[in-house]
Amino acid sequence: MSEHTSDETASDAMGDTGSDATSGTVSEVFADATQMAGTGEVMIELEHVDKLFGDFKALSDINVRVGKQEVMVVIGPSGSGKSTMIRCINRLEEHDRGRIVVDGTELSNDLRNIQEIRRETGMVFQSFNLFPHLTVIDNVTLAPRNVRKLSKRDAIDMGMALLEHVRIPEQAKKYPGQLSGGQQQRVAIARALAMKPKVMLFDEPTSALDPEMINEVLDTMKDLARDGMTMIVVTHEMGFAREVADRVLFMAEGEIVEVGTPEHFFTDPREERTKQFLAQIL
Amino acid sequence: MTNAVTWARRNLFRSPFDAVLTIVFGIVGLFIIHRSLNFIFVTGRWDVIRVNLRLLMIGRFPDTHVLRIAVTVVVLAGWAGLLAGLIRARQVRAGRVDVGATRLSWRRVSDVADRLWLPAFVVLLILMLTSTSGPWVMAIAAVVAAAIGRLIGPYVGRLPLIGLPGVLLMVALAVVPVILFFYVVSAVGFDEWGGFMLNLFLAVCSIVLCFPLGVALALGRRSTLPLVRVVCTLYIELVRGAPLFVLLLLANVALGFFIPSNLTPSTATRAIIVFTLFTAAYMAEIVRGGLQSVPRGQIEAAKALGLSPVRQMGLIVLPQALRNVIPAQIGQLISLFKDTSLAALAMGLFELLEVSTIITSQGDFRGQGLIGETIAFAALLFWTVSYTMSRESQRLERKLGVGTR
Ligand SMILES: Nc1ncnc2c1ncn2[C@@H]1O[C@H](COP(=O)(O)OP(=O)(O)OP(=O)(O)O)[C@@H](O)[C@H]1O
Ligand SMILES: [Mg+2]
């Protein structure tokens, strides 16, 4: 899977979408957020999405496409709507206008349809949200057994394999409260992966961690990206964005301000607001 | 000796005020202890208990069918032992208890002794007061049955028990008490039961029934369906607004207005219904508190995994909610148990407290003011059961790790 580097996929995207971005400079490749990277097939599509909290417009006219196997990093100041956007994708928040399509299925109010999209979409939260009354292995196998209807034995085999993958098989029988933050977040990643999702959504997965634990979680996420998982990652870890992202998306006040390759973002951002934000955090 | 003196000086006589307190409370305490011991060993006339023991324990249960109670007690003991062994084995299987903890060791023996000494002591006390050998035989048989059940349990628990066999076993275990109930009640109607047995039975039935009802009411009160929500809220608030005693009286008197007399349930059944409905309203509020204590992130994580709403509730929210409120729940159940003593005054049932007062005015004991002895005995029984429930709830809490995460 090593061919999946950002440079190649970026040029793939150019060719596949056949858009007007042929003129060449990197900063123009992703002039708007609907031009994806990845394999070129659309995995997630948001069209004219608005989200209101009462009178407050948390998202306004969001248009994004994320390609299969693409890694998109979302950045932006606090309150800019990053969480709200990815929570709309699996219906933890209900959008008020526009369309959201995940792997060809449009999100509607039908519970069956919502469940179907949630099955295909894994989510990792800032505060882990592991189930404290269940052991680590039970946390991981709960959904496969109850939603995917795997047998207990198959679920445990798969769960253990996933725990190996996130490098903590020896913690399987412990309770979440007995693990460090970094370990808990890796369990949370394994739990989401156990549903064999096609997309993973990460909402600031390392923000609640002590510095020395951040890397173990980021490494797990890098492994995932390398294996070709489609990912949307809200994060302030610019190193991760630079290394792993195909595209970076900058949001402010509920709008998409700028999209581009990491290279574009960190060398030559176009918008004034982007420059200000990057100056603050870099 | 000097140690004791320094300890006393430091803890009891640090200042003049401390000294006064120590002396006053010391004298009051000694006086109370003296009077109590005097009552128990010297002035108390415990033959009133000895003579009426059977009335106190099982009321006017007919002689011809007493054997059924004994059989029930023995089978229940075996059943409980089996269940305990089975649960233990399942926990070991699931890796929740390490195998080392199942071996016989001093710690386990002292643990069991610590749990059982009080009920065992009271049972022994009662046995000492009996004049026949029947209760002894029953008690010994019950202990043996419990031990056998406890020994067999783990073997049953170690079977795979997936799918149909597991379900069948669960059903079989659940059905045992029900069969025993019909075994007894088919011989002697409910309203002829009495004594402490009746208190226990009223409490156990109401506890078993009020729990699911309380959970259902709590969920109903949080339902998104307005009608369900309004009905549940109304019910909870109405019931909590009425004294239990009034509800018991109502069930006794008012039910006749609505239901033809040949269809009205027996008095004891009515008592169970009232206790259940009453406690369920309180349970509902306790459970609702528990539901609110589960962080929103838990539901979000469950949703994100694609769990259905029923599973979100049943697998994630409820287990945590119920755990978080174990102390309050058990408190409510203890209170229900003690309230069964209202059943006599309100409904004319022949429960323990009623027996305790009646026997002081019967036969040889009339007019001798022995109410102190009989009430003390009743209090001991109530307290023993309540205290044991409270201890077990603390154990359960520790075991489920509330507060340690
Ligand atoms: N449930 C809610 N009710 C009302 N307003 C909300 C709700 N959730 C979010 N908001 C508002 O919507 C806006 C966007 O919130 P969101 O959590 O998406 O921001 P964010 O970009 O993720 O910020 P952060 O970096 O702090 O996590 C904020 O102004 C927030 O106050
Ligand atoms: Mg956020």
Side-chain angles (χ1 to χ4, degrees):
Chain A
M1 304 306 294
S2 57
E3 72 215 321
H4 180 70
T5 65
S6 43
D7 281 353
E8 271 179 30
T9 46
S11 51
D12 277 357
M14 260 199 297
D16 287 358
T17 50
S19 66
D20 57 347
T22 43
S23 55
T25 66
V26 182
S27 60
E28 278 169 313
V29 170
F30 298 115
D32 95 53
T34 57
Q35 293 170 287
M36 348 156 254
T39 62
E41 293 161 82
V42 190
M43 181 60 96
I44 298 177
E45 183 167 10
L46 280 75
E47 245 181 46
H48 305 299
V49 170
D50 287 356
K51 169 69 192 169
L52 301 165
F53 287 114
D55 289 339
F56 177 76
K57 206 161 189 181
L59 295 178
S60 60
D61 197 27
I62 298 290
N63 289 285
V64 192
R65 275 191 200 157
V66 182
K68 282 204 172 116
Q69 306 200 341
E70 177 172 2
V71 176
M72 188 168 85
V73 164
V74 180
I75 60 175
S78 181
S80 56
K82 308 181 295 289
S83 300
T84 306
M85 182 176 82
I86 66 169
R87 287 159 59 85
C88 280
I89 295 173
N90 65 353
R91 214 13 111 83
L92 291 183
E93 304 287 358
E94 190 179 335
H95 60 287
D96 294 292
R97 261 185 295 279
R99 268 161 38 93
I100 297 178
V101 182
V102 180
D103 198 29
T105 311
E106 182 176 346
L107 196 52
S108 73
N109 281 327
D110 178 30
L111 186 65
R112 295 258 277 297
N113 168 291
I114 295 172
Q115 298 282 81
E116 193 182 319
I117 287 181
R118 282 176 180 164
R119 276 200 296 273
E120 307 302 337
T121 320
M123 186 172 230
V124 175
F125 300 85
Q126 179 175 354
S127 48
F128 325 139
N129 294 349
L130 291 178
F131 305 130
H133 61 301
L134 300 176
T135 58
V136 164
I137 188 72
D138 286 346
N139 263 277
V140 175
T141 56
L142 181 84
R145 288 178 62 185
N146 286 287
V147 182
R148 292 254 189 251
K149 306 291 177 201
L150 248 60
S151 75
K152 186 175 177 184
R153 178 160 307 152
D154 289 350
I156 287 180
D157 287 348
M158 183 191 64
M160 285 312 295
L162 281 169
L163 289 177
E164 306 253 356
H165 196 74
V166 300
R167 295 185 279 259
I168 36 174
E170 72 283 356
Q171 313 286 356
K173 295 223 159 158
K174 286 196 186 164
Y175 285 88
Q178 298 168 309
L179 304 186
S180 75
Q183 292 172 327
Q184 288 192 48
Q185 194 60 299
R186 285 185 282 155
V187 173
I189 293 173
R191 178 178 70 176
L193 290 176
M195 282 297 286
K196 301 248 180 289
K198 294 182 175 143
V199 183
M200 287 284 282
L201 308 171
F202 292 84
D203 192 358
E204 305 200 29
T206 55
S207 299
L209 296 176
D210 292 337
E212 70 268 23
M213 297 174 189
I214 289 179
N215 277 331
E216 63 189 50
V217 172
L218 291 180
D219 286 345
T220 308
M221 291 167 62
K222 286 175 196 167
D223 289 347
L224 256 185
R226 210 171 295 124
D227 293 345
M229 176 63 77
T230 308
M231 295 162 61
I232 303 184
V233 184
V234 178
T235 185
H236 297 299
E237 293 296 327
M238 291 305 142
F240 177 83
R242 215 184 293 243
E243 191 182 331
V244 185
D246 296 310
R247 280 189 299 165
V248 178
L249 185 148
F250 173 65
M251 289 182 75
E253 288 158 23
E255 293 175 9
I256 296 175
V257 176
E258 189 165 359
V259 199
T261 58
E263 198 185 348
H264 156 80
F265 247 89
F266 296 116
T267 54
D268 182 26
R270 193 174 44 219
E271 301 284 332
E272 202 50 43
R273 276 195 287 183
T274 319
K275 287 178 193 163
Q276 278 173 11
F277 177 74
L278 289 172
Q280 272 171 19
I281 62 165
L282 287 178
Chain B
M1 189 58 215
T2 47
N3 272 349
V5 170
T6 31
W7 182 89
R9 198 170 278 162
R10 197 171 296 149
N11 292 291
L12 300 176
F13 298 98
R14 201 200 309 249
S15 67
F17 181 65
D18 281 356
V20 171
L21 275 187
T22 301
I23 291 167
V24 169
F25 279 105
I27 289 171
V28 172
L30 281 177
F31 179 71
I32 291 173
I33 291 172
H34 168 74
R35 293 293 299 202
S36 307
L37 291 179
N38 196 36
F39 174 60
I40 293 171
F41 292 108
V42 186
T43 59
R45 292 191 40 200
W46 301 106
D47 44 338
V48 66
I49 305 292
R50 192 191 301 274
V51 171
N52 291 297
L53 190 63
R54 172 144 168 208
L55 215 49
L56 286 162
M57 299 314 290
I58 60 173
R60 298 197 189 96
F61 206 88
D63 251 348
T64 40
H65 296 298
V66 165
L67 192 64
R68 294 198 181 215
I69 295 181
V71 170
T72 301
V73 169
V74 173
V75 175
L76 265 186
W79 174 82
L82 186 78
L83 212 59
L86 198 148
I87 290 172
R88 186 77 181 197
R90 298 307 285 178
Q91 285 174 334
V92 172
R93 234 176 98 94
R96 294 210 177 82
V97 188
D98 48 335
V99 191
T102 62
R103 276 195 217 104
L104 202 62
S105 68
W106 256 121
R107 252 204 67 210
R108 280 199 72 203
V109 172
S110 74
D111 188 43
V112 170
D114 190 44
R115 280 174 79 184
L116 292 183
W117 73 266
L118 181 65
F121 171 75
V122 172
V123 168
L124 267 179
L125 194 73
I126 293 169
L127 287 175
M128 304 291 250
L129 290 169
T130 58
S131 41
T132 52
S133 56
W136 281 100
V137 175
M138 178 188 81
I140 291 166
V143 170
V144 171
I148 292 175
R150 181 65 183 78
L151 288 177
I152 297 175
Y155 293 99
V156 182
R158 258 173 242 144
L159 303 173
L161 295 181
I162 312 171
L164 195 62
V167 174
L168 283 180
L169 182 75
M170 298 263 284
V171 171
L173 283 172
V175 158
V176 169
V178 179
I179 292 177
L180 287 172
F181 165 68
F182 282 109
Y183 170 65
V184 178
V185 93
S186 65
V188 180
F190 228 168
D191 285 344
E192 289 172 70
W193 295 24
F196 196 49
M197 177 181 84
L198 181 62
N199 294 80
L200 282 176
F201 185 77
L202 291 178
V204 169
C205 284
S206 312
I207 286 171
V208 169
L209 293 173
C210 83
F211 183 72
L213 184 61
V215 172
L217 282 169
L219 295 178
R221 192 167 185 173
R222 284 168 48 116
S223 165
T224 47
L225 304 171
L227 184 67
V228 175
R229 193 170 57 232
V230 168
V231 168
C232 290
T233 309
L234 213 63
Y235 172 84
I236 292 169
E237 296 306 335
L238 273 179
V239 170
R240 292 205 313 158
L244 175 58
F245 198 73
V246 171
L247 292 177
L248 286 168
L249 286 174
L250 265 181
N252 209 19
V253 180
L255 222 55
F257 295 140
F258 303 113
I259 307 174
S261 58
N262 54 343
L263 282 184
T264 44
S266 71
T267 317
T269 313
R270 266 182 268 171
I272 289 177
I273 293 172
V274 173
F275 285 128
T276 302
L277 296 181
F278 180 79
T279 309
Y282 285 86
M283 273 309 223
E285 286 300 276
I286 293 171
V287 172
R288 194 165 67 99
L291 290 173
Q292 275 162 0
S293 75
V294 178
R296 230 176 43 146
Q298 291 290 311
I299 302 164
E300 289 184 349
K303 279 185 182 170
L305 286 169
L307 292 175
S308 65
V310 173
R311 292 213 164 85
Q312 290 164 26
M313 186 50 72
L315 296 173
I316 305 302
V317 180
L318 257 190
Q320 295 186 58
L322 294 180
R323 247 161 243 234
N324 290 349
V325 292
I326 288 175
Q329 290 180 69
I330 303 286
Q332 195 62 48
L333 297 182
I334 289 175
S335 150
L336 160 63
F337 168 64
K338 290 183 298 186
D339 286 345
T340 57
S341 57
L342 295 174
L345 217 52
M347 309 186 87
L349 286 172
F350 200 56
E351 51 75 48
L352 180 61
L353 206 66
E354 177 76 358
V355 182
S356 306
T357 38
I358 280 182
I359 53 178
T360 58
S361 55
Q362 272 177 343
D364 298 343
F365 302 108
R366 163 179 288 158
Q368 306 206 0
L370 296 183
I371 190 90
E373 281 81 348
T374 59
I375 294 296
F377 182 73
L380 174 71
L381 294 189
F382 274 115
W383 178 76
T384 304
V385 174
S386 302
Y387 182 71
T388 307
M389 281 167 80
S390 164
R391 294 269 316 249
E392 287 301 307
S393 107
Q394 283 165 26
R395 223 181 92 90
L396 190 68
E397 232 179 297
R398 261 202 314 279
K399 235 167 124 174
L400 295 176
V402 182
T404 57
R405 54 183 153 85

